[in-house]
Amino acid sequence: MANSLLNPTPPSEPEDYDYGRRPPGGSPPPPAPPRRDGRGPGRRGLALMLIVTALGGGVAGAGLLLLTGAGDGTTTTTTVTTAPTAAAAQRSDASTGLDARALYANANPGVVDITSRGITSSSSGGGSPFGGPSQSATATGTGFVVDGKGHIVTAAHVVEGASSISVKFQDGTTRTAKVLGTDEATDVAVLAVDPSGLTLHPLALGSSASLAIGDQVAAIGDPFTYDRSLSTGVVSGLDRTISAPNGFTVAHAIQTDAALNPGNSGGPVLDASGRVIGIVDQIATNGSSQTSSGVGFAVPIDLVRSELSKLEAGQTVRHAYFGVSTSDLGTGTAGALIQSVSSSGPAASAGLRSGDVVTRIGSAAIKGTNDLVAAVAAHAPGDRVQVTVKRGSSTRTVTVTFGTQPTQAAQSGQTP
């Protein structure tokens, strides 16, 4: 699916989503910035690179490295500290500026460093956006504590396929982590560590729904393994559509100019009060640069919050499925053009076909692909909705019963 908000090329030239698990690029000493060697699949236009992780900004090391379980405590006491939100004393509304020093002091204890060992990727890609040479390696990313039970949220691609995972806290304590649940449709994972003996600092969850362009934000993470780095910026855009690891699209993504680089993946994006409003996920590149371009994306926390309890319980999160690939019609023309229809999918069963222009789903007006993705995401499998389309000079309304999104899209960036 072409991403009209980020890709200036025509809809016939879809973006290539490079999720980045690349060959090791070495670990050069500072101050020279680490580089990431190796190339992924060919790119056209402006590619989105999923910020994965890693020593030297990519995947480091070869061979299967097993976790030894360092850092297991011997006590049975868990301390939970609820830190005040950043600048709470002087900030009472959105007009007050972000106090970066106070925000960092309060939020940093709730951020964790994640190391995933035994990551494997396939050179063929097999339709997966992960692509790249076949290898087993170590990847690093970021996460954050969400409660006093030892639950940690990160991006699914940080831990996908790992044979072992370790989490390091601010005080240097390291614990073995296990994956409780993942959702590749939103690129979110919940991990669990034994909380005994730890002092936990859960981060408060804010709301991505209340954001406005220009709002100040901050990100804490481990870019290029420079651990616990702070970057600040603003909300540059809202309701963006980005590609998920399963090849479908994520709705309502937050765009920011805060510096995000490999290793930031899974870390928190925070509002001026220190509340988590998104999870770092991707950056836009020009096909050659693999560092911050000033165009980064986060999965919105409201989307994560809606499925958090299911992931903590190890349950499968199911998403509505329409069964189409779409593109925008161009400036000044409303609607999402159906480019292809999945055979036997919900849209096909309702009689929709390539060339139809979707203008409404239920009560939601569809101005373009982003609106369509958001409208489908607002529903659940089994929901019956009225869908209005233009076909040539006529307009018709059909009833569509949404299905359940497949585990993998037929092509990267496919509309739900």
Side-chain angles (χ1 to χ4, degrees):
M1 183 197 73
N3 187 325
S4 62
L5 294 174
L6 296 174
N7 188 352
T9 57
S12 60
E13 298 187 14
E15 289 183 348
D16 175 22
Y17 289 85
D18 177 8
Y19 282 70
R21 283 181 179 157
R22 301 177 178 278
S27 182
R35 61 174 294 175
R36 191 152 128 144
D37 296 327
R39 300 291 296 167
R43 299 172 175 83
R44 288 181 296 178
L46 186 65
L48 277 182
M49 179 185 72
L50 192 69
I51 306 171
V52 265
T53 65
L55 194 57
V59 173
L64 184 63
L65 305 176
L66 300 177
L67 186 67
T68 59
D72 289 336
T74 58
T75 65
T76 58
T77 301
T78 302
T79 303
V80 180
T81 301
T82 304
T85 55
Q90 72 270 28
R91 174 180 167 82
S92 60
D93 57 50
S95 64
T96 307
L98 181 148
D99 184 336
R101 180 182 293 185
L103 182 148
Y104 185 80
N106 289 314
N108 183 45
V111 177
V112 300
D113 313 320
I114 298 175
T115 301
S116 300
R117 294 181 170 86
I119 296 294
T120 302
S121 62
S122 169
S123 58
S124 64
S128 166
F130 286 92
S134 179
Q135 58 189 311
S136 292
T138 299
T140 64
T142 310
F144 56 95
V145 180
V146 291
D147 58 31
K149 301 176 183 178
H151 293 151
I152 293 165
V153 170
T154 186
H157 72 265
V158 170
V159 297
E160 191 225 7
S163 60
S164 60
I165 303 166
S166 63
V167 171
K168 185 172 73 173
F169 294 84
Q170 181 195 33
D171 64 2
T173 301
T174 301
R175 290 286 170 92
T176 300
K178 65 178 181 179
V179 178
L180 295 182
T182 62
D183 182 14
E184 290 200 346
T186 54
D187 200 12
V188 176
V190 175
L191 313 181
V193 299
D194 180 0
S196 61
L198 297 176
T199 298
L200 298 176
H201 300 266
L203 296 186
L205 303 185
S207 175
S208 46
S210 60
L211 293 176
I213 293 176
D215 283 354
Q216 293 178 300
V217 294
I220 301 174
D222 299 346
F224 299 119
T225 68
Y226 291 103
D227 61 329
R228 304 187 170 278
S229 299
L230 172 72
S231 61
T232 61
V234 298
V235 174
S236 305
L238 294 168
D239 293 320
R240 302 309 199 200
T241 300
I242 59 176
S243 184
N246 69 352
F248 286 99
T249 45
V250 180
H252 303 303
I254 302 163
Q255 179 186 338
T256 179
D257 65 348
L260 305 176
N261 287 290
N264 276 112
S265 277
V269 177
L270 306 146
D271 65 14
S273 293
R275 298 168 297 197
V276 180
I277 50 87
I279 300 175
V280 175
D281 204 72
Q282 301 178 18
I283 59 176
T285 74
N286 61 6
S288 58
S289 171
Q290 292 164 21
T291 59
S292 173
S293 61
V295 183
F297 302 93
V299 175
I301 200 62
D302 286 354
L303 190 61
V304 177
R305 189 200 301 271
S306 68
E307 57 187 45
L308 195 56
S309 61
K310 286 188 176 181
L311 293 176
E312 289 174 347
Q315 299 174 1
T316 299
V317 179
R318 303 188 186 280
H319 300 274
Y321 177 60
F322 192 21
V324 298
S325 291
T326 66
S327 65
D328 292 334
L329 290 168
T331 304
T333 306
L337 173 66
I338 296 180
Q339 293 186 319
S340 64
V341 179
S342 300
S343 61
S344 71
S349 298
L352 300 183
R353 62 194 190 196
S354 177
D356 288 346
V357 176
V358 181
T359 59
R360 182 170 292 274
I361 294 179
S363 60
I366 307 301
K367 297 179 181 178
T369 291
N370 280 4
D371 290 337
L372 186 144
V373 172
V376 175
H379 288 276
D383 285 356
R384 291 168 56 85
V385 297
Q386 299 295 108
V387 176
T388 302
V389 299
K390 291 181 179 179
R391 181 177 296 172
S393 59
S394 65
T395 299
R396 63 186 64 197
T397 299
V398 299
T399 300
V400 175
T401 301
F402 288 134
T404 299
Q405 188 181 101
T407 56
Q408 187 69 43
Q411 62 188 48
S412 180
Q414 182 177 333
T415 308

